[in-house]
Amino acid sequence: MEDQDNGHQKPTTSQEPSADGTPVTDFRFEVFGFIARPISEVYEAVADPAILSEYFTTGGAIGRLETGATVQWDFADFPGAFPVTVLRAKPAETISLRWGAAPGTSVEQDGTVVDFLFTSVDDGARTKVAVREQAWKPTGDGAAAAFGNCMGWTGMLAAMKVWLEHGIRLRDGFYR
């Protein structure tokens, strides 16, 4: 359900209908941030495994995010590498991927869908990056997983911003 005051997603529960009165079938959210770099550089910071490994996948990323690819992401602070399937990648516009979810938390067997949307602003001086994730079950476990990932994607955007703008690894030691 859209929050009319600020355009951000407002959480709903399975007992609360959406704005149009239909039942809520999954939790979804969007987070975003602005990075003072051109859109092509910001897109590459997500698509290129070497750059992604500098600020986000602290255990390393293997494979470029290209349509149809299955890549591997690993986090030193959350051990265990796992596959990420790229559903769609259109340079300087969007990346859509699917990754696994804890058992019983996703409405889809293969996990949740994450969309990265890149928009050039201020005559190309900055880029708005939005991250949307959907397909969380409207249950307590689904909500906990969705809110945890919402925190994670917010952290990813902050880490990307300080890496690209200042060369600082914000994530180091952040989660443990």
Side-chain angles (χ1 to χ4, degrees), residues 25-28 97-114 133-146 149:
T25 58
D26 70 342
F27 284 132
R28 53 190 64 215
L97 56 89
R98 180 181 303 279
W99 65 346
T105 61
S106 176
V107 298
E108 298 183 23
Q109 183 176 356
D110 296 336
T112 63
V113 175
V114 180
E133 189 166 14
Q134 64 184 31
W136 297 104
K137 282 187 177 179
T139 63
D141 288 344
N149 276 23

Side-chain angles (χ1 to χ4, degrees), residues 81-134:
F82 57 92
V84 175
T85 302
V86 184
L87 303 174
R88 181 171 181 252
K90 188 169 182 183
E93 288 184 25
T94 187
I95 297 171
S96 181
L97 56 89
R98 180 181 303 279
W99 65 346
T105 61
S106 176
V107 298
E108 298 183 23
Q109 183 176 356
D110 296 336
T112 63
V113 175
V114 180
D115 296 309
F116 294 86
L117 306 162
F118 304 88
T119 307
S120 183
V121 296
D122 299 334
D123 295 323
R126 295 189 315 149
T127 302
K128 177 183 179 185
V129 184
V131 182
R132 296 177 181 162
E133 189 166 14
Q134 64 184 31

Side-chain angles (χ1 to χ4, degrees), residues 40-48 51-52 55 156 160 163-164:
S40 60
E41 185 177 340
V42 176
Y43 180 90
E44 284 302 311
V46 178
D48 183 321
I51 302 170
L52 191 68
Y55 70 90
M156 182 260 200
M160 180 169 41
W163 174 252
L164 291 178

